Amino acid sequence: MTLSLPRFTNWKALSKSPSNRSMKSSKVIATGELFNAVASVFNFIVSDLIGGAFTWSATKIWSILVAGAIFAFNFNWNIPDEDLEARFKQAEIAWYGQLGSAIGTSLGWLACGIVPSLLIMSFNEAMGSQILLSVGEEAYEEMISELSLLINMGVRNKCNQLMAEMFIGFRWLIKNAANGLEPDTALGGIATKVFQSFPKLKESAKSWGDKGSKPWVLSQKIEEYIESLPIEQKYQEFFEELLDSFGDSCIEAGYVVAGGIDEFLANQSVAQAIKQQPNTVVITPNRLAPNQKLILHGTTEQLKQSITAALANYQIVDGKDIGIDLGMPLIERAHKQISEYVITLFLKSKQKPPYGRDAKQHQIKLNSANKLKFTDFDKVIRALGGGGKDGNLGYMYGRFFGRAQMSDGSTLELWCDTSENVKTRIEAIAELSEATIQTLNITEEIKDYQRKKIEGLSKDIYRVYPWKVEVIRKTKVYDDYGKSFNDTTGNLKSTKQGYYDHSYPYTLELWQGQEPANWDAAMAELTKLIPLPNPI
């Protein structure tokens, strides 16, 4: 004879939230929190579906494990079937109450919010539209909140109903085997072998879950065991607090570990997206105007987001008179020429690390850097006042300011202690550029008036030392304006005009005064030939 699992058509599982009580609690956990570990799985699944996203993470998995551990320590494993059934009826009533709340909320917003807004639109469309927009947003949030709670309760009910039937059925199998009513064929005879080895366990299993049975809660049993130890009360308190703090710290540490895993995986995902081969997309939004183009460059994921936004922006400005500059070719409007390489030279008021907060920092930006020169470490370090056997000597910083106008339209600016040093230093740094100096203006900061009264307003004179160099490469991704007529020959020649993609800054150290071991390899990678991609 095969024992069938008991079934109750009126069982409803629970609607209460998982328990947060500690192991030290001496009260029996409410049965309404039955099997919250499994219910938590369905709970966050439904929440994510309502939110429009369904993702697993280490933090969510750890939350499920924590809920399962709390359940195992605080659940009354000796709860009678009658008590379960009574609480299921209460859970069913609570669910119907939530159903009424959800329907009432929806009808309230519909009758007192949406319908009046539509009536107002019939005689004042502008006012009605604005009110309907505000009411609609609030109504959506309220109804989605109620619906989410309703579905969560329903899913938890169904989950607990299934698990409760499995729990009761398993308990009946064990009790029948202990009482000798049925052989435990469903368990493969394991229960019989265990009972033969542990007779006391067999006696306990005969009355497992009988009405009026004494509750059996693991957290209580641990507490009772500690209190029964033949030791002083202070040591009992010691062990109780040890276990309690261990549990809390373990849970907290687990969340930190899980968060670290999620953060690492997220960073890996971002890094993988960055490393993806970028593409260039050329869009002609208006077929009647083939010369109007939208050029986008990036990875596949970046383009998915940008194409829609670019087309939407085009529709907004299409046909609008917002100025003659809009849509003008870059070659006709650009003043400063495109620089394929831009380097930034950083200096510190201390010669070597550790710098600390007291070390002042300065930087010099150079456009149109010549890759045959800035890749030479000796040329870079000498331009900043060092090099050779002397190493990192730097130069004197002060109140004389120099601004050189370069032939590419950019400016080269720095401060020195004298006008002669300003001229010398600007000329040395300009040697690293493809552009040449067109004009040079040098001014002096006078320490008078407010600068004389307030400390910190005027420049001090001190030595600055090379610290590092930062290189940014701009790679051409589209050659829409890549050729122009040569004035002398009348032939077409390549230009730097076009559309460029900026690389991430690459930094190399200078403070040692000697060429770093990775200098040549890094510069070779930065300046390697990159073919112009074919637009999609």
Side-chain angles (χ1 to χ4, degrees), residues 18-19 29 33 35-41 60-75 77 218 251 255:
S19 172
I29 190 172
E33 296 160 357
F35 303 111
N36 52 17
V38 179
S40 296
V41 180
K60 290 181 179 179
I61 295 174
W62 180 247
S63 299
I64 297 171
L65 296 177
V66 170
I70 294 175
F71 157 72
F73 274 94
N74 294 281
F75 178 63
W77 294 95
L218 182 57
I251 291 174
Y255 277 112

Side-chain angles (χ1 to χ4, degrees), residues 114-140:
I114 304 298
V115 172
S117 300
L118 294 175
L119 292 177
I120 294 174
M121 287 185 65
S122 62
F123 60 84
N124 191 326
E125 185 176 353
M127 180 189 297
S129 299
Q130 182 175 349
I131 296 175
L132 183 61
L133 179 62
S134 301
V135 172
E137 292 178 353
E138 293 291 336
Y140 175 80

Side-chain angles (χ1 to χ4, degrees), residues 408-477:
D408 63 351
S410 65
T411 57
L412 175 59
E413 302 173 348
L414 56 82
W415 294 81
C416 281
D417 60 333
T418 66
S419 59
E420 293 79 9
N421 286 340
V422 168
K423 184 174 184 295
T424 300
R425 196 56 48 212
I426 282 185
E427 290 176 347
I429 295 176
E431 285 294 320
L432 302 176
S433 175
E434 294 179 346
T436 57
I437 299 175
Q438 302 298 297
T439 61
L440 174 60
N441 295 320
I442 300 176
T443 57
E444 180 182 3
E445 180 185 272
I446 305 300
K447 189 174 183 179
D448 206 345
Y449 304 107
Q450 292 299 318
R451 288 196 180 101
K452 188 176 181 179
K453 297 177 182 179
I454 302 176
E455 183 179 358
L457 286 183
S458 61
K459 299 289 187 300
D460 296 324
I461 298 177
Y462 52 86
R463 183 171 292 276
V464 291
Y465 304 90
W467 173 30
K468 64 180 181 179
V469 58
E470 181 184 87
V471 182
I472 296 178
R473 182 176 184 179
K474 301 179 181 180
T475 306
K476 185 182 290 188
V477 297

Side-chain angles (χ1 to χ4, degrees), residues 79-154:
I79 184 172
D81 297 348
E82 293 81 1
D83 292 352
L84 278 175
E85 185 175 0
R87 292 185 180 276
F88 291 155
K89 291 180 180 179
Q90 294 297 322
E92 181 181 11
I93 295 174
W95 186 86
Y96 274 97
Q98 178 58 36
L99 176 62
S101 175
I103 296 176
T105 299
S106 302
L107 292 177
W109 279 99
L110 179 64
C112 302
I114 304 298
V115 172
S117 300
L118 294 175
L119 292 177
I120 294 174
M121 287 185 65
S122 62
F123 60 84
N124 191 326
E125 185 176 353
M127 180 189 297
S129 299
Q130 182 175 349
I131 296 175
L132 183 61
L133 179 62
S134 301
V135 172
E137 292 178 353
E138 293 291 336
Y140 175 80
E141 293 179 0
E142 291 291 335
M143 289 188 290
I144 283 296
S145 176
E146 293 288 333
L147 180 61
S148 176
L149 182 57
L150 179 67
I151 295 177
N152 285 338
M153 291 176 62

